[in-house]
Amino acid sequence: MIDENKQVNNTSQQLGEPIEVKQAMKSDSPAQINSNESGSEVTEPVAAQTNVSGDTAFTPENGVVAAERTEEGTTALADLTQQIESLKGQLEERNTQYLRIAADFENYRKRNQKEKEDLETQVKRNTITELLPVVDNFERARSHLKPQGDGEMTIHKSYQGVYKQLVDSLKRLGVSPMRPEGQEFDPNLHEAVMREPTDEHPEGTVLEELVRGYYLGERVLRHAMVKVAAPKEDSPAQDNQ
Protein backbone atom coordinates (compact mmCIF):
# COMPACT_ATOMS: atom_id res chain seq x y z
CA MET A 1 0.00 0.00 0.00
CA ILE A 2 2.76 2.42 0.82
CA ASP A 3 4.43 1.61 -2.37
CA GLU A 4 1.27 2.33 -4.29
CA ASN A 5 0.91 5.74 -2.64
CA LYS A 6 4.44 6.62 -3.42
CA GLN A 7 3.89 5.54 -6.97
CA VAL A 8 0.78 7.70 -7.26
CA ASN A 9 2.64 10.66 -5.79
CA ASN A 10 5.45 10.20 -8.19
CA THR A 11 3.05 9.98 -11.09
CA SER A 12 1.23 13.13 -9.95
CA GLN A 13 4.45 15.04 -9.62
CA GLN A 14 5.47 13.94 -13.06
CA LEU A 15 2.16 15.12 -14.54
CA GLY A 16 2.37 18.50 -12.70
CA GLU A 17 -0.82 17.95 -10.68
CA PRO A 18 -1.02 19.83 -7.35
CA ILE A 19 -0.76 17.81 -4.23
CA GLU A 20 -3.91 19.43 -2.76
CA VAL A 21 -6.06 18.10 -5.58
CA LYS A 22 -4.62 14.71 -5.04
CA GLN A 23 -5.29 14.90 -1.37
CA ALA A 24 -8.81 16.06 -1.98
CA MET A 25 -9.40 13.17 -4.25
CA LYS A 26 -8.06 10.82 -1.67
CA SER A 27 -10.00 12.31 1.26
CA ASP A 28 -13.17 10.36 1.18
CA SER A 29 -13.37 9.66 4.88
CA PRO A 30 -16.55 10.54 6.83
CA ALA A 31 -14.53 12.51 9.32
CA GLN A 32 -13.43 14.96 6.72
CA ILE A 33 -16.96 15.31 5.35
CA ASN A 34 -18.31 15.98 8.82
CA SER A 35 -15.65 18.53 9.46
CA ASN A 36 -16.62 20.36 6.23
CA GLU A 37 -20.31 20.31 7.13
CA SER A 38 -19.62 21.57 10.60
CA GLY A 39 -17.54 24.39 9.13
CA SER A 40 -20.37 25.40 6.84
CA GLU A 41 -22.77 25.38 9.74
CA VAL A 42 -20.53 27.68 11.70
CA THR A 43 -20.17 30.01 8.78
CA GLU A 44 -23.91 30.38 8.14
CA PRO A 45 -24.79 31.82 11.61
CA VAL A 46 -21.96 34.31 11.32
CA ALA A 47 -23.20 35.43 7.91
CA ALA A 48 -26.75 35.65 9.20
CA GLN A 49 -25.58 37.72 12.13
CA THR A 50 -23.71 40.03 9.79
CA ASN A 51 -26.77 40.51 7.60
CA VAL A 52 -28.97 41.33 10.58
CA SER A 53 -26.54 43.90 11.90
CA GLY A 54 -26.34 45.53 8.47
CA ASP A 55 -30.09 45.76 7.91
CA THR A 56 -31.13 47.21 11.28
CA ALA A 57 -31.68 50.95 10.35
CA PHE A 58 -34.26 51.90 13.00
CA THR A 59 -32.87 52.68 16.45
CA PRO A 60 -34.11 55.01 19.21
CA GLU A 61 -31.55 57.59 18.12
CA ASN A 62 -32.73 57.36 14.52
CA GLY A 63 -36.35 57.80 15.65
CA VAL A 64 -35.47 61.00 17.53
CA VAL A 65 -33.61 62.39 14.52
CA ALA A 66 -36.52 61.57 12.21
CA ALA A 67 -38.99 63.24 14.57
CA GLU A 68 -36.81 66.34 14.78
CA ARG A 69 -36.59 66.51 10.99
CA THR A 70 -40.35 66.12 10.67
CA GLU A 71 -40.92 68.89 13.21
CA GLU A 72 -38.45 71.16 11.38
CA GLY A 73 -40.21 70.46 8.08
CA THR A 74 -43.61 71.26 9.62
CA THR A 75 -42.27 74.50 11.10
CA ALA A 76 -40.73 75.52 7.77
CA LEU A 77 -43.98 74.75 5.95
CA ALA A 78 -45.92 76.81 8.47
CA ASP A 79 -43.49 79.72 8.02
CA LEU A 80 -43.81 79.53 4.23
CA THR A 81 -47.60 79.45 4.49
CA GLN A 82 -47.55 82.50 6.75
CA GLN A 83 -45.27 84.33 4.33
CA ILE A 84 -47.57 83.49 1.40
CA GLU A 85 -50.61 84.78 3.29
CA SER A 86 -48.71 87.95 4.20
CA LEU A 87 -47.71 88.49 0.56
CA LYS A 88 -51.32 87.92 -0.55
CA GLY A 89 -52.50 90.55 1.91
CA GLN A 90 -49.87 93.01 0.69
CA LEU A 91 -50.86 92.32 -2.92
CA GLU A 92 -54.55 92.95 -2.20
CA GLU A 93 -53.66 96.16 -0.36
CA ARG A 94 -51.53 97.36 -3.30
CA ASN A 95 -54.32 96.50 -5.75
CA THR A 96 -56.81 98.45 -3.63
CA GLN A 97 -54.46 101.42 -3.49
CA TYR A 98 -53.90 101.23 -7.25
CA LEU A 99 -57.65 101.17 -7.96
CA ARG A 100 -58.21 104.08 -5.59
CA ILE A 101 -55.42 106.12 -7.18
CA ALA A 102 -56.70 105.26 -10.68
CA ALA A 103 -60.24 106.34 -9.71
CA ASP A 104 -58.94 109.58 -8.16
CA PHE A 105 -56.89 110.31 -11.25
CA GLU A 106 -59.87 109.67 -13.53
CA ASN A 107 -62.04 111.98 -11.43
CA TYR A 108 -59.29 114.59 -11.49
CA ARG A 109 -58.97 114.27 -15.27
CA LYS A 110 -62.73 114.68 -15.78
CA ARG A 111 -62.90 117.59 -13.34
CA ASN A 112 -59.92 119.26 -14.99
CA GLN A 113 -61.44 118.74 -18.43
CA LYS A 114 -64.77 120.20 -17.28
CA GLU A 115 -63.06 123.18 -15.67
CA LYS A 116 -61.11 123.74 -18.88
CA GLU A 117 -64.27 123.60 -20.97
CA ASP A 118 -66.10 125.91 -18.56
CA LEU A 119 -63.21 128.37 -18.68
CA GLU A 120 -63.15 128.33 -22.46
CA THR A 121 -66.92 128.81 -22.55
CA GLN A 122 -66.71 131.68 -20.07
CA VAL A 123 -63.98 133.41 -22.07
CA LYS A 124 -66.00 132.91 -25.24
CA ARG A 125 -69.16 134.27 -23.56
CA ASN A 126 -67.35 137.36 -22.31
CA THR A 127 -65.80 138.06 -25.70
CA ILE A 128 -69.01 137.57 -27.65
CA THR A 129 -71.01 139.61 -25.14
CA GLU A 130 -68.69 142.55 -25.82
CA LEU A 131 -69.38 142.19 -29.55
CA LEU A 132 -73.18 142.02 -29.32
CA PRO A 133 -73.69 145.82 -28.98
CA VAL A 134 -71.83 146.20 -32.28
CA VAL A 135 -74.28 143.80 -33.87
CA ASP A 136 -77.18 145.76 -32.33
CA ASN A 137 -75.89 149.00 -33.84
CA PHE A 138 -75.65 147.43 -37.28
CA GLU A 139 -79.25 146.25 -36.99
CA ARG A 140 -80.49 149.69 -35.86
CA ALA A 141 -78.69 151.31 -38.74
CA ARG A 142 -80.23 148.92 -41.21
CA SER A 143 -83.76 149.55 -39.89
CA HIS A 144 -83.49 153.34 -39.54
CA LEU A 145 -81.30 154.45 -42.41
CA LYS A 146 -82.97 154.76 -45.79
CA PRO A 147 -80.41 155.37 -48.52
CA GLN A 148 -81.63 157.97 -51.08
CA GLY A 149 -79.00 157.98 -53.78
CA ASP A 150 -76.54 155.66 -55.39
CA GLY A 151 -73.74 156.85 -53.14
CA GLU A 152 -75.72 156.20 -49.98
CA MET A 153 -76.76 152.81 -51.31
CA THR A 154 -73.11 151.94 -51.93
CA ILE A 155 -72.22 152.88 -48.33
CA HIS A 156 -75.25 151.00 -47.05
CA LYS A 157 -74.21 147.83 -48.86
CA SER A 158 -70.64 148.18 -47.59
CA TYR A 159 -71.46 148.23 -43.89
CA GLN A 160 -74.16 145.62 -44.34
CA GLY A 161 -71.43 143.37 -45.81
CA VAL A 162 -69.37 143.92 -42.65
CA TYR A 163 -72.46 143.15 -40.57
CA LYS A 164 -73.05 139.92 -42.48
CA GLN A 165 -69.41 138.88 -42.00
CA LEU A 166 -69.67 139.51 -38.25
CA VAL A 167 -72.90 137.52 -37.97
CA ASP A 168 -71.38 134.59 -39.88
CA SER A 169 -68.38 134.59 -37.53
CA LEU A 170 -70.70 134.47 -34.51
CA LYS A 171 -72.61 131.55 -36.03
CA ARG A 172 -69.37 129.58 -36.40
CA LEU A 173 -68.71 130.17 -32.71
CA GLY A 174 -72.11 128.66 -31.85
CA VAL A 175 -74.12 131.85 -31.44
CA SER A 176 -77.73 131.80 -32.61
CA PRO A 177 -80.46 134.48 -32.24
CA MET A 178 -83.74 134.02 -30.40
CA ARG A 179 -87.07 134.34 -32.23
CA PRO A 180 -89.52 135.07 -29.38
CA GLU A 181 -92.35 136.84 -31.28
CA GLY A 182 -95.63 135.04 -30.79
CA GLN A 183 -94.24 132.74 -28.07
CA GLU A 184 -95.32 132.64 -24.45
CA PHE A 185 -93.24 134.76 -22.13
CA ASP A 186 -90.48 132.71 -20.42
CA PRO A 187 -88.53 134.46 -17.65
CA ASN A 188 -85.60 132.09 -18.25
CA LEU A 189 -85.26 133.46 -21.80
CA HIS A 190 -86.99 136.82 -21.89
CA GLU A 191 -86.95 140.09 -19.99
CA ALA A 192 -90.24 141.99 -20.11
CA VAL A 193 -89.62 145.74 -20.39
CA MET A 194 -93.07 146.73 -21.70
CA ARG A 195 -96.65 145.59 -21.40
CA GLU A 196 -99.29 146.39 -23.98
CA PRO A 197 -103.01 145.84 -23.27
CA THR A 198 -104.65 143.97 -26.11
CA ASP A 199 -107.44 141.54 -26.79
CA GLU A 200 -105.87 140.18 -29.93
CA HIS A 201 -103.35 137.97 -28.13
CA PRO A 202 -103.52 135.97 -24.91
CA GLU A 203 -102.00 137.47 -21.85
CA GLY A 204 -98.27 136.81 -21.58
CA THR A 205 -97.66 136.52 -25.31
CA VAL A 206 -94.48 138.17 -26.60
CA LEU A 207 -95.59 140.88 -29.00
CA GLU A 208 -92.26 142.33 -30.04
CA GLU A 209 -88.54 141.78 -29.48
CA LEU A 210 -87.00 145.14 -28.57
CA VAL A 211 -83.43 143.92 -28.04
CA ARG A 212 -82.48 140.62 -29.59
CA GLY A 213 -81.51 137.74 -27.37
CA TYR A 214 -78.91 135.11 -28.24
CA TYR A 215 -77.96 131.52 -27.41
CA LEU A 216 -74.44 130.19 -27.12
CA GLY A 217 -74.88 126.55 -27.87
CA GLU A 218 -77.75 125.48 -25.64
CA ARG A 219 -77.15 128.18 -23.01
CA VAL A 220 -78.61 131.65 -22.93
CA LEU A 221 -75.99 134.19 -23.92
CA ARG A 222 -78.23 137.22 -23.51
CA HIS A 223 -81.88 137.49 -22.54
CA ALA A 224 -84.21 139.08 -25.08
CA MET A 225 -85.88 142.34 -24.08
CA VAL A 226 -89.51 142.04 -25.16
CA LYS A 227 -92.94 143.64 -25.08
CA VAL A 228 -95.61 141.40 -23.58
CA ALA A 229 -99.39 141.35 -24.12
CA ALA A 230 -101.53 142.35 -21.17
CA PRO A 231 -105.34 142.08 -20.72
CA LYS A 232 -107.23 145.06 -22.10
CA GLU A 233 -108.98 147.12 -19.46
CA ASP A 234 -112.67 148.02 -19.82
CA SER A 235 -113.45 151.70 -20.63
CA PRO A 236 -115.26 153.93 -18.00
CA ALA A 237 -118.33 154.21 -20.24
CA GLN A 238 -118.81 150.50 -20.14
CA ASP A 239 -118.45 150.55 -16.35
CA ASN A 240 -121.23 153.21 -16.02
CA GLN A 241 -123.59 151.22 -18.11
Side-chain angles (χ1 to χ4, degrees):
M1 182 63 66
I2 296 173
D3 294 335
E4 292 177 357
N5 291 333
K6 288 180 179 182
Q7 187 177 1
V8 171
N9 292 332
N10 292 330
T11 305
S12 300
Q13 291 176 0
Q14 291 176 0
L15 297 175
E17 185 178 1
I19 299 174
E20 289 79 5
V21 173
K22 179 188 68 176
Q23 291 177 353
M25 293 174 64
K26 292 171 61 179
S27 60
D28 294 334
S29 61
Q32 292 178 350
I33 295 173
N34 293 331
S35 64
N36 291 333
E37 292 178 356
S38 63
S40 62
E41 292 176 357
V42 172
T43 305
E44 289 178 357
V46 173
Q49 183 177 1
T50 303
N51 292 331
V52 171
S53 62
D55 295 337
T56 55
F58 180 78
T59 60
E61 291 79 4
N62 292 337
V64 172
V65 172
E68 291 178 353
R69 290 180 179 177
T70 303
E71 185 176 358
E72 291 177 357
T74 304
T75 304
L77 181 60
D79 293 339
L80 290 175
T81 303
Q82 185 176 2
Q83 291 178 4
I84 292 173
E85 294 297 330
S86 177
L87 291 175
K88 286 183 178 179
Q90 293 178 6
L91 179 61
E92 292 179 357
E93 183 178 359
R94 296 296 184 273
N95 288 335
T96 303
Q97 292 178 357
Y98 169 76
L99 294 176
R100 187 182 300 112
I101 292 173
D104 292 341
F105 177 77
E106 183 65 18
N107 293 333
Y108 167 77
R109 187 188 66 80
K110 292 180 179 179
R111 184 170 61 253
N112 191 24
Q113 183 67 24
K114 186 176 184 304
E115 291 177 355
K116 182 180 178 180
E117 293 176 356
D118 292 342
L119 180 61
E120 292 178 353
T121 303
Q122 186 63 35
V123 172
K124 186 185 294 185
R125 286 175 59 90
N126 294 337
T127 303
I128 295 174
T129 302
E130 294 295 328
L131 295 176
L132 291 181
V134 179
V135 178
D136 295 338
N137 290 330
F138 272 109
E139 291 180 350
R140 291 191 186 98
R142 185 179 62 176
S143 61
H144 290 88
L145 296 178
K146 302 296 182 181
Q148 300 297 327
D150 294 338
E152 294 180 358
M153 181 61 66
T154 301
I155 297 174
H156 179 75
K157 290 181 179 179
S158 297
Y159 72 76
Q160 288 301 318
V162 176
Y163 166 73
K164 184 177 184 304
Q165 184 178 2
L166 179 59
V167 170
D168 292 338
S169 298
L170 293 176
K171 287 181 179 179
R172 286 193 294 270
L173 293 174
V175 179
S176 59
M178 294 182 183
R179 304 296 182 186
E181 290 89 349
Q183 298 179 3
E184 184 179 358
F185 175 79
D186 186 353
N188 296 319
L189 304 176
H190 312 139
E191 182 180 354
V193 294
M194 293 181 63
R195 290 172 61 87
E196 180 178 336
T198 180
D199 55 359
E200 297 179 359
H201 300 280
E203 182 182 2
T205 303
V206 176
L207 300 178
E208 183 182 357
E209 183 183 35
L210 303 177
V211 178
R212 179 163 294 178
Y214 290 92
Y215 295 104
L216 179 59
E218 297 180 355
R219 295 184 177 183
V220 176
L221 179 61
R222 187 178 73 179
H223 290 75
M225 295 183 181
V226 297
K227 180 170 61 174
V228 183
K232 191 174 182 179
E233 297 179 356
D234 295 335
S235 61
Q238 293 177 353
D239 293 339
N240 292 330
Q241 292 178 358

